[in-house]
Amino acid sequence: MSRGVLSSPPVRRVTASDVAQAAGVSQSTVSRSFSDDPRISPTTRAHVHAVATRMGYTPNALARSLITNRSGMVAVIATQQSILAMPQMLTAISQALGRRDQRMLLFMPSDESDVQNAVNEAWSFPLEGAISCVTLTTSHLDGFRQNRIPVVLYNRRASGLADSACTCHHAAAADVAQRLWHSGHRRFLCLAGPEDAPVGRERALGFAGQVRSLGGAAPQMVETDFSYDGGHRAVTHALQSGPRPDAVFCVNDQLAMGACDALRYGLNLSVPRDVSVVGFDDIPEAARPAYQLTTLRQDLTSLAQRATALLEARRADPEGQIQELDLQAVLVQRQTARF
Amino acid sequence: MSRGVLSSPPVRRVTASDVAQAAGVSQSTVSRSFSDDPRISPTTRAHVHAVATRMGYTPNALARSLITNRSGMVAVIATQQSILAMPQMLTAISQALGRRDQRMLLFMPSDESDVQNAVNEAWSFPLEGAISCVTLTTSHLDGFRQNRIPVVLYNRRASGLADSACTCHHAAAADVAQRLWHSGHRRFLCLAGPEDAPVGRERALGFAGQVRSLGGAAPQMVETDFSYDGGHRAVTHALQSGPRPDAVFCVNDQLAMGACDALRYGLNLSVPRDVSVVGFDDIPEAARPAYQLTTLRQDLTSLAQRATALLEARRADPEGQIQELDLQAVLVQRQTARF
DNA sequence: CTGAAAGCGCTTACAG
DNA sequence: CTGAAAGCGCTTACAG
């Protein structure tokens, strides 16, 4: 805490030139002292650092980036909804970026239709890359390419048009369908999420496809949102107006928890004796004693590490082959499904 | 989508000079066309924009910021834990920033002890401000001041050393204590959160202080984490090893939900007949049918709007009086407390 | 209405 | 080992 600075505050930030003048060296020397250039003598470096500390100087990372072309910033694009539903996504990405000394510039479109504004704004920053947790159109991807910003999709696909790291939603859901089938379930209800949500759709289609290919009757598909309440409502309505299913597959855990509560407390059924319920994601709440949800776990941390690695690789080789990484989801067997 | 650009990609980003050359105008004219300078003729502007679009040019916001001193970036500092517990905080801040055309650069220290690294990194960016959701020490605040970065604390106080927008944790908790007292509760258990978490502490102290000032026996204070499981464990242990309280005050809703489940399903007690439970925050889950939690709602959206407004005010008047804004929490009466 | 030039805060050849 | 100078991609007086 330097009284001097506090009592007579300069109007602008302290710059390398200010430090140079105060230290009696050139601005180049100040710069080199801070980039740990080995040619600067230890004495000079120490002196410069001492003066800099006294003056409260920190190099401006973005003035630096003009020349080095490394800003240390990566855009992350995720809808508000998805962040509220799965904040683990953000913490995982932040940690993965941190290991590479990168920082997250967060763009939060209100929904998938608001993505255009977000990407337009993102393009104006000198980014080292962008991680998109929302689906991008060809024109979005093209804009990133024109602006020389590598993009990787997080838990989405772009059909060969961009790098991506993605859980095998389709395969995992199909696997669950198969297991349920083999343990005797025949009447399936699927809470499919919103129609325009690609991840939920993948999961629902993987499930339904497998059931049909096993010769079963097509599952009853119900469009929902992604919330606990949505799951509660959908199950309540479906069972009041139709035959009782013996298994409910939910494209996420919130829906599944709502489904369990509706079945147990609303409809007085036993889970899993009367009805099996399976979720997707394995959010922390799924493990609570009150639910003990059987669900598919996706590894958000690995996904994040892969995504940042893909960004790095793309920077190194802008013209290289596009990579689409698959991560398997693993079935976490708890108490809500008879297998 | 321009085939030309796609097939022969330039190595670097397109710059204003590139566009100027292609459009046959000066670089100043390109710059002026993009800053909507009224002196540029509509014809020229249109031509420049057309060429720019064809080339995929977007002005570099941070090169611009070197001169304008407005980067459009605000640092947000929040621990991983707090984001997982309350992602609404982030979405609220992001929206408030968006209205002011500002973007969030997110710093996520793993815990409150890792804050120093986060602030060091933050200082190197040309920020328009910083919103801290973690407690900052005098030396952190001093660093921000030296780097000319306005800081505002979000839901924290800095005892007159920095601007802040904060829920009246102490007063709200005291108010609940008083209401519980007046409706006949006398034996209080308080789940207080971790010792080093200032917000939880404020709430716990507000509660306990009021009980004592009403002449009651000091509440039993139990240190916990902030999780559902923590609440479950703490209540189970407290009631197995001591007298039964008639009211449990929890410094957040996760704890309160854990407490409810422990009381109801673990200890076979009725909430609120045998024991009243009150939480804090009013997270979305608190309203679920399974809980119907009585709790104190803090308005994270207003808090965020106040915080960004304070930042703006501080930019306008760096030497002005420090402002500490209070936001009241309101009691949401649901089904877990007898009042 | 437009251009040439200075300058924002840095890095980095180029000289010495 | 250090400095003077050019340049990163912009904005903005200053001229015309």
Side-chain angles (χ1 to χ4, degrees):
Chain A
M1 239 177 306
S2 136
R3 287 299 310 158
V5 171
L6 287 180
S7 50
S8 64
V11 173
R12 291 186 59 82
R13 244 178 115 116
V14 177
T15 72
S17 300
D18 299 334
V19 175
Q21 192 167 3
V25 298
S26 73
Q27 183 262 320
S28 325
T29 296
V30 173
S31 170
R32 290 194 180 103
S33 298
F34 273 87
S35 58
D36 282 326
D37 188 312
R39 293 176 310 184
I40 296 292
S41 80
T43 332
T44 308
R45 184 196 315 283
H47 176 228
V48 169
H49 274 120
V51 173
T53 303
R54 176 159 53 74
M55 301 176 74
Y57 170 68
T58 313
N60 180 334
L62 290 168
R64 167 182 297 165
S65 85
L66 263 187
I67 295 189
T68 60
N69 218 14
R70 304 211 102 223
S71 65
M73 301 195 312
V74 169
V76 172
I77 307 171
T79 61
Q80 208 168 290
Q81 208 187 20
S82 67
I83 289 170
L84 293 175
M86 246 196 300
Q88 295 79 11
M89 202 171 63
L90 272 197
T91 55
I93 294 175
S94 173
Q95 277 189 313
L97 290 175
R99 292 189 187 186
R100 296 175 186 274
D101 271 314
Q102 297 180 129
R103 294 286 141 201
M104 182 190 305
L105 191 63
L106 188 55
F107 294 85
M108 214 183 282
S110 51
D111 53 62
E112 304 242 358
S113 72
D114 186 35
V115 172
Q116 186 65 54
N117 299 318
V119 294
N120 281 330
E121 300 216 33
W123 294 337
S124 74
F125 290 90
L127 300 169
E128 294 188 9
I131 298 177
S132 177
C133 308
V134 304
T135 303
L136 297 179
T137 66
T138 310
S139 113
H140 296 148
L141 291 171
D142 211 58
F144 278 106
R145 195 177 300 115
Q146 290 195 326
N147 286 286
R148 311 287 122 197
I149 301 171
V151 200
V152 48
L153 298 199
Y154 181 94
N155 226 0
R156 304 276 158 135
R157 288 279 177 244
S159 48
L161 292 171
D163 298 314
S164 56
C166 189
T167 302
C168 309
H169 305 293
H170 194 281
D175 180 57
V176 161
Q178 178 144 9
R179 289 183 191 237
L180 287 169
W181 180 271
H182 284 138
S183 32
H185 301 80
R186 288 298 179 270
R187 299 184 310 283
F188 301 103
L189 170 61
C190 173
L191 305 196
E195 195 193 9
D196 60 341
V199 170
R201 204 167 171 68
E202 271 291 291
R203 294 173 180 177
L205 291 177
F207 186 84
Q210 182 67 276
V211 169
R212 276 195 301 272
S213 81
L214 286 164
Q220 181 185 359
M221 308 296 278
V222 180
E223 208 174 291
T224 60
D225 57 16
F226 278 136
S227 72
Y228 172 94
D229 286 339
H232 200 283
R233 268 196 309 272
V235 162
T236 306
H237 182 261
L239 271 79
Q240 278 168 350
S241 62
R244 185 211 292 176
D246 51 21
V248 182
F249 174 68
C250 306
V251 300
N252 80 5
D253 288 342
Q254 296 286 356
L255 290 169
M257 292 189 295
C260 284
D261 283 348
L263 290 165
R264 286 173 170 154
Y265 309 117
L267 298 155
N268 257 308
L269 293 170
S270 162
V271 176
R273 200 150 12 90
D274 301 323
V275 188
S276 286
V277 175
V278 180
F280 209 123
D281 292 341
D282 196 28
I283 62 177
E285 294 170 87
R288 283 192 193 163
Y291 293 103
Q292 284 293 310
L293 198 65
T294 296
T295 187
L296 290 153
R297 170 185 301 156
Q298 45 177 0
D299 186 343
L300 299 178
T301 301
S302 299
L303 230 36
Q305 285 164 357
R306 303 300 170 84
T308 55
L310 284 174
L311 235 35
E312 196 68 34
R314 182 57 61 200
R315 273 177 77 80
D317 180 11
E319 300 307 317
Q321 182 86 39
I322 283 185
Q323 296 196 55
E324 303 196 285
L325 265 39
D326 283 324
L327 266 89
Q328 279 201 280
V330 318
L331 182 66
V332 181
Q333 300 207 28
R334 294 203 187 90
Q335 312 289 343
T336 58
R338 287 176 291 109
F339 279 123
Chain B
M1 240 177 304
S2 137
R3 286 300 310 157
V5 171
L6 286 181
S7 51
S8 64
V11 174
R12 291 186 60 82
R13 244 178 115 117
V14 177
T15 71
S17 301
D18 299 333
V19 174
Q21 192 167 3
V25 298
S26 73
Q27 183 263 321
S28 324
T29 298
V30 173
S31 170
R32 290 193 181 105
S33 298
F34 274 87
S35 59
D36 284 325
D37 187 313
R39 293 175 309 184
I40 297 291
S41 80
T43 332
T44 308
R45 185 196 314 281
H47 176 227
V48 169
H49 275 119
V51 173
T53 303
R54 176 160 55 73
M55 300 176 74
Y57 169 68
T58 313
N60 180 334
L62 291 169
R64 167 182 295 164
S65 84
L66 264 187
I67 295 187
T68 61
N69 217 15
R70 304 211 103 223
S71 65
M73 302 194 310
V74 170
V76 172
I77 307 172
T79 62
Q80 207 168 291
Q81 208 187 20
S82 67
I83 289 170
L84 293 175
M86 246 196 300
Q88 294 80 11
M89 202 171 65
L90 272 197
T91 55
I93 293 175
S94 173
Q95 276 189 313
L97 290 175
R99 293 189 184 185
R100 296 176 184 273
D101 272 312
Q102 297 180 129
R103 293 288 141 198
M104 182 192 304
L105 191 63
L106 187 56
F107 294 85
M108 212 182 282
S110 50
D111 53 60
E112 303 243 358
S113 72
D114 187 35
V115 171
Q116 185 64 54
N117 299 318
V119 295
N120 280 330
E121 301 215 34
W123 292 338
S124 74
F125 290 90
L127 301 169
E128 293 188 8
I131 298 178
S132 177
C133 308
V134 304
T135 303
L136 297 178
T137 65
T138 310
S139 114
H140 296 147
L141 291 171
D142 211 59
F144 278 105
R145 194 176 300 116
Q146 289 196 328
N147 286 286
R148 310 287 121 198
I149 301 171
V151 200
V152 49
L153 298 199
Y154 181 93
N155 225 358
R156 306 275 158 136
R157 287 277 178 246
S159 47
L161 293 171
D163 297 316
S164 55
C166 190
T167 302
C168 308
H169 304 293
H170 195 281
D175 180 56
V176 161
Q178 178 144 8
R179 288 183 192 237
L180 287 169
W181 179 270
H182 284 137
S183 33
H185 301 80
R186 288 298 178 269
R187 298 183 311 283
F188 300 102
L189 169 63
C190 173
L191 306 195
E195 194 194 10
D196 60 341
V199 170
R201 205 170 169 66
E202 271 291 290
R203 295 173 180 175
L205 291 177
F207 186 85
Q210 183 67 277
V211 169
R212 275 195 302 272
S213 81
L214 286 163
Q220 180 185 0
M221 309 295 278
V222 179
E223 208 174 292
T224 60
D225 57 17
F226 278 136
S227 73
Y228 173 94
D229 286 339
H232 200 284
R233 268 196 309 272
V235 163
T236 305
H237 182 261
L239 270 81
Q240 280 169 349
S241 61
R244 186 210 293 175
D246 51 19
V248 182
F249 174 67
C250 307
V251 299
N252 81 3
D253 288 342
Q254 294 286 355
L255 289 169
M257 291 189 296
C260 284
D261 284 348
L263 290 165
R264 287 173 169 153
Y265 308 118
L267 299 156
N268 258 308
L269 294 169
S270 163
V271 177
R273 200 152 10 93
D274 300 322
V275 187
S276 287
V277 175
V278 180
F280 209 123
D281 291 340
D282 196 28
I283 62 177
E285 294 169 87
R288 284 194 192 162
Y291 293 104
Q292 285 293 312
L293 198 65
T294 296
T295 186
L296 291 153
R297 172 184 300 156
Q298 45 177 0
D299 186 343
L300 298 179
T301 300
S302 299
L303 229 35
Q305 285 164 357
R306 304 299 170 84
T308 55
L310 285 174
L311 235 34
E312 196 67 34
R314 181 57 61 198
R315 273 177 76 79
D317 181 10
E319 300 308 315
Q321 182 87 37
I322 283 186
Q323 296 196 55
E324 302 196 288
L325 265 40
D326 283 324
L327 265 89
Q328 279 201 281
V330 319
L331 183 67
V332 181
Q333 301 207 27
R334 294 204 186 90
Q335 311 289 345
T336 57
R338 287 177 289 109
F339 279 123

